Amino acid sequence: MMGPAHSLSGAAAWLGVGAAAAAAGHPMPWPVLVVGALISAGAALAPDLDHKSATISRAFGPVSRTLCEIVDKLSHAVYKATRMRGDSTRNGGHRTLTHTWAWAVLIGAGASGAAFTGGRWAVLGILFVHLVLAVEGLLWRAARVSSDVLVWLLGATSAWILAGILDQPGNGSDWLFTDPGQEYLWLGLPIVLGALIHDIGDALTVSGCPILWPIPVGRKRWYPIGPPKAMRFKAGSWVEIKVLMPVFMVLGGVGAAFAMNVI
């Protein structure tokens, strides 16, 4: 799928988690619901860091472009080192390592660890990166015609404001992990969710997605999971734009309404 659909699906997924938490009698504070949805929307773009033409590769200028090249080479190396006889030969690393459940968990755990050990500046950094990506994904057309610096300023300002709101008592810095010193450990959860939702979205396209790696399926370790071929579609096709994106918007709205006890 393309960037806007990925981001919408990520946000909708976290709002759905908020609705489920409310139904279970453990509603999220509204800042956690909002910040989590934005982080998940941004994280839903992150697996494409292995593709030089992806939104994330240009989101942070030379830094993200260089990181994209490194991740592409790393992914390709891991693919070659772990592929089985049934796996095809590849020339690049796109839709390999960063499109797996293992990568999603690793990145989410890393973010939680950084928030736990790095304090406020680490939290601000995590928020900044994912809020910039959320702007790039959710406001794709507007972000494309605006200056990168303006998008970065919006991300930095939003990160500072939202962190300040979360720090207020009862607003969710200690959501789910309530012991002293465990503030913001939950930040890794929407990152994991966003990455997995990205992978599921890509699995619906014609190429499928090796979500289960390193678990082998048959003679392949990089088996492209997906529905029957007749149910798949091309990235950016009318199915994605005219069907899936409106569905994500509706599901996100319904999830938010349930999470906030509006309905």
Side-chain angles (χ1 to χ4, degrees):
M1 291 197 298
M2 304 298 286
H6 278 311
S7 286
L8 276 174
S9 64
W14 183 258
L15 294 172
V17 170
H26 300 285
M28 294 179 184
W30 72 263
V32 173
L33 187 69
V34 172
V35 173
L38 291 172
I39 290 176
S40 189
L45 295 182
D48 277 343
L49 190 57
D50 59 4
H51 195 300
K52 64 181 180 180
S53 299
T55 300
I56 189 174
S57 70
R58 60 165 292 276
F60 301 96
V63 174
S64 53
R65 286 194 292 270
T66 300
L67 187 57
C68 175
E69 294 177 3
I70 294 172
V71 171
D72 179 43
K73 292 178 180 178
L74 172 64
S75 299
H76 189 211
V78 172
Y79 180 87
K80 289 194 300 181
T82 63
R83 72 187 182 97
M84 297 173 64
R85 291 184 178 182
D87 294 309
S88 61
T89 302
R90 298 178 61 100
N91 294 322
H94 182 48
R95 283 201 185 184
T96 55
L97 180 61
T98 62
H99 287 68
T100 65
W101 70 268
W103 177 270
V105 172
L106 178 65
I107 296 302
S112 289
F116 180 71
T117 60
R120 180 174 177 79
W121 287 107
V123 170
L124 288 171
I126 294 168
L127 290 176
F128 168 71
V129 168
H130 289 89
L131 290 174
V132 167
L133 293 177
V135 171
E136 292 280 1
L138 297 174
L139 303 178
W140 183 76
R141 294 187 184 277
R144 282 296 177 91
V145 300
S146 65
S147 166
D148 285 342
V149 175
L150 291 178
V151 176
W152 299 339
L153 286 173
L154 177 60
T157 303
S158 300
W160 188 272
I161 293 172
L162 290 172
I165 293 173
L166 285 167
D167 281 340
Q168 298 299 313
N171 277 0
S173 64
D174 59 349
W175 177 71
L176 201 59
F177 302 94
T178 57
D179 290 341
Q182 293 185 346
E183 293 82 5
Y184 293 108
L185 271 178
W186 62 269
L187 285 182
L189 298 178
I191 294 175
V192 173
L193 181 62
L196 291 177
I197 290 297
H198 176 110
D199 297 344
I200 293 171
D202 277 355
L204 299 176
T205 64
V206 293
S207 300
C209 189
I211 303 173
L212 295 181
W213 180 90
I215 301 171
V217 178
R219 297 174 61 249
K220 295 183 178 182
R221 195 178 302 279
W222 297 90
Y223 186 86
I225 299 295
K229 290 186 177 181
M231 299 175 62
R232 302 187 188 189
F233 57 87
K234 291 183 178 180
S237 68
W238 67 270
V239 175
E240 178 179 332
I241 297 171
K242 296 184 179 297
V243 178
L244 291 182
M245 288 181 65
V247 168
F248 295 151
M249 291 181 188
V250 172
L251 290 178
V254 172
F258 271 105
M260 298 297 293
N261 290 320
V262 175
I263 57 175

